[in-house]
Amino acid sequence: MGMGRGAGPTALGLFQVVTVALCVFPAVSFQCRILKCTSEFWAATSGSHHTGTDEAPEYCTALRAYAHCTRRTARTCRGDLAFHSTVHGIDDLMTQHNCSKDGPTSAPRLRTLPTGDSQERSDSPEICHYERSFHKHSVPPNYTHCGFFGDPHLRTFTDSFQTCKVQGAWPLIDNNYLNVQVTNTPVLPGSPATATSKLTIIFRNFQDCIENKVYQAETDELPAAFTDGSRNGGDRHGANSLKITEKVPGQHIEIQAKYIGTTIVVRQVGRYLTFAARMPEEVVNAVDKDNQGLYLCLWGCPVSQQIDFRTFRARAADTNTLPRRRGSTSTDAFTYETATSKCKEKLPVEDLYFQSCVFDLLTTGDVNFTLAAYYAFEDVKMLHSNKEKIHIFERTGGVAPGGSAIEHTLSIPVLLISLLWLQFCLMHP
């Protein structure tokens, strides 16, 4: 399949003031909740392509609710350019549509797209459906999987499994078609354990299929729309080849990017986010020669960011107790035995997902990390094209169940020793 980079963006339409603000300034601070306000407004108005006389009162109510929402978050958005641009954009729209600032400000009512709406087109060009573009006698595409979850743990497109530090912002995917960036923050004060609190996905402009689209999720903010409030790829003929579906409100969304044969799953489990993707190898490897930077899902975490269990093993060989975690306020700290028992409830097979669950319970004491490992494994079962490689086991010198000889270095004894040493260092700086 010959895949080009696409043409330039089209007109922004009726809501250009608000859209431009979010596209030009997509990086909103973690505390600023302007994205939530914008998402609610666009969800309430996305079914309308014009604002006639009958719709004006409802539209003005939505604008006033939008303005009220921005005022509530103003304190935490001070100095944020996207916030201030959005506020000015709301004022312009209220003037344009003769909306009074006084009036009802009830929460916007979500609108259902009618049958036949442009967001539900089924006659997309063939170029906008990756699998249809292959001829009947062509070799079918080979799909790969990447997952990122927990403290955090990374399964790359090549089925390598790593546990990494990676605090701060890191690119999971960076190719010619999309960019995925995660931001990881400490789980506990003074602890090296981190987890994903923010995720940004940028779908790049592609031919007659989609315009540039940005999806952004944060802790307690898992919207079912892009940052411009839309749920598909825009106004182009093949816009429906990119679509967001909300599976569980506030907990689970799925993005289908049919034009590149890609499925993305984002969840919130407890206070943190998980990511999983299914992508053709052709798309995975579509990287410019002059762009050989970080791409965790393809090349893994940098060596300096990987947790080297063998180093800790030699230093902590005589450690027999589990010190209390520095900064932890939990009275229910897990021992190795109780963590193992808890993880067995959801993950009966002692593969690396099970071991990751044990690791996370010992480092964080947060039982929600059990579910993070569980859902990460459920996503693998749904997205991985090779069912024999669903389970990944540590290196044993033999063949893993299912006939796959998959080599990895993480093992339960080394895992426990590394935890003991990490926690010992925290208690005795």
Side-chain angles (χ1 to χ4, degrees):
M1 175 182 179
M3 303 186 70
R5 295 300 299 271
T10 60
L12 294 173
L14 177 64
F15 307 120
Q16 58 183 350
V17 176
V18 180
T19 305
V20 167
L22 289 168
C23 290
V24 174
F25 309 114
V28 180
S29 68
F30 180 76
Q31 294 83 8
C32 182
R33 299 298 184 183
I34 189 63
L35 289 177
K36 183 175 185 292
C37 299
T38 301
S39 179
E40 289 177 351
F41 171 72
W42 281 81
T45 59
S46 60
S48 298
H49 299 288
H50 58 84
T51 53
T53 303
D54 294 337
E55 294 183 83
E58 182 181 348
Y59 184 76
C60 289
T61 297
L63 275 175
R64 282 191 292 268
Y66 193 8
H68 182 66
C69 184
T70 62
R71 287 194 294 272
R72 290 201 309 267
T73 192
R75 184 175 180 181
T76 57
C77 294
R78 185 177 301 163
D80 191 288
L81 295 178
F83 169 78
H84 292 290
S85 296
T86 301
V87 169
H88 289 301
I90 294 172
D91 290 339
D92 290 342
L93 288 172
M94 293 188 74
T95 300
Q96 179 182 346
H97 297 284
N98 297 318
C99 297
S100 171
K101 293 185 178 181
D102 298 321
T105 58
S106 57
R109 175 175 57 87
L110 296 182
R111 304 185 53 166
T112 303
L113 296 176
T115 304
D117 188 277
S118 62
Q119 295 214 23
E120 298 295 335
R121 292 171 180 162
S122 59
D123 58 343
S124 300
E126 187 174 271
I127 191 66
C128 298
H129 198 297
Y130 186 80
E131 293 183 350
R132 289 180 191 168
S133 66
F134 286 87
H135 298 292
K136 292 182 179 180
H137 303 293
S138 300
V139 177
N142 183 37
Y143 289 93
T144 59
H145 164 77
C146 176
F148 194 76
F149 66 98
D151 184 13
H153 310 284
L154 170 69
R155 179 170 181 160
T156 70
F157 285 125
T158 57
D159 289 318
S160 173
F161 198 97
Q162 301 171 354
T163 298
C164 309
K165 304 171 188 176
V166 291
Q167 182 173 335
W170 291 81
L172 285 183
I173 298 175
D174 187 13
N175 59 38
N176 292 343
Y177 304 103
L178 75 161
N179 177 279
V180 180
Q181 179 174 285
V182 292
T183 300
N184 306 309
T185 54
V187 174
L188 295 169
S191 170
T194 64
T196 302
S197 59
K198 184 175 181 178
L199 179 142
T200 302
I201 307 173
I202 300 174
F203 295 89
R204 298 192 171 107
N205 168 64
F206 183 72
Q207 298 189 11
D208 291 329
C209 307
I210 72 157
E211 303 166 7
N212 254 40
K213 289 289 176 177
V214 178
Y215 179 80
Q216 194 167 69
E218 300 176 356
T219 297
D220 297 330
E221 298 286 349
L222 191 67
F226 296 107
T227 56
D228 64 2
S230 66
R231 296 186 180 94
N232 78 338
D235 295 325
R236 298 184 184 178
H237 193 53
N240 200 44
S241 61
L242 176 64
K243 190 175 181 181
I244 295 180
T245 303
E246 186 175 56
K247 298 293 186 179
V248 180
Q251 298 180 31
H252 178 193
I253 66 102
E254 182 175 301
I255 303 176
Q256 292 283 348
K258 294 182 180 179
Y259 67 101
I260 51 174
T262 295
T263 300
I264 292 174
V265 175
V266 182
R267 300 178 186 265
Q268 177 168 330
V269 185
R271 289 190 50 76
Y272 300 101
L273 305 175
T274 70
F275 170 87
R278 180 179 188 262
M279 188 178 295
E281 281 188 343
E282 179 188 12
V283 177
V284 169
N285 295 307
V287 182
D288 294 334
K289 291 182 179 179
D290 57 351
N291 181 20
Q292 299 293 324
L294 294 172
Y295 184 165
L296 302 191
C297 276
L298 181 58
W299 296 313
C301 297
V303 174
S304 63
Q305 292 295 318
Q306 295 179 29
I307 294 180
D308 184 358
F309 297 104
R310 293 184 177 182
T311 299
F312 298 118
R313 186 177 190 177
R315 298 178 181 177
D318 295 330
T319 304
N320 295 314
T321 60
L322 187 64
R324 184 176 177 80
R325 297 180 308 280
R326 184 179 183 181
S328 173
T329 58
S330 173
T331 57
D332 299 320
F334 284 92
T335 64
Y336 176 73
E337 290 75 16
T338 57
T340 298
S341 176
K342 189 64 179 178
C343 292
K344 277 280 188 180
E345 295 175 7
K346 290 289 187 180
L347 300 161
V349 178
E350 294 189 15
D351 60 2
L352 288 181
Y353 289 91
F354 168 83
Q355 294 181 25
S356 299
C357 173
V358 175
F359 177 87
D360 290 352
L361 290 185
L362 292 175
T363 55
T364 70
D366 186 348
V367 72
N368 287 307
F369 281 88
T370 302
L371 292 176
Y374 168 76
Y375 284 124
F377 182 66
E378 290 298 301
D379 290 337
V380 171
K381 291 195 294 184
M382 178 180 70
L383 299 174
H384 206 296
S385 60
N386 188 338
K387 302 308 178 184
E388 292 186 350
K389 291 185 177 181
I390 290 176
H391 291 285
I392 300 182
F393 296 86
E394 72 273 17
R395 182 186 300 176
T396 60
V399 177
S404 300
I406 306 175
E407 296 185 353
H408 296 277
T409 59
L410 184 63
S411 63
I412 289 179
V414 176
L415 178 72
L416 179 57
I417 290 172
S418 67
L419 290 172
L420 296 174
W421 175 251
L422 278 171
Q423 294 175 346
F424 180 79
C425 291
L426 289 174
M427 293 296 296
H428 301 84

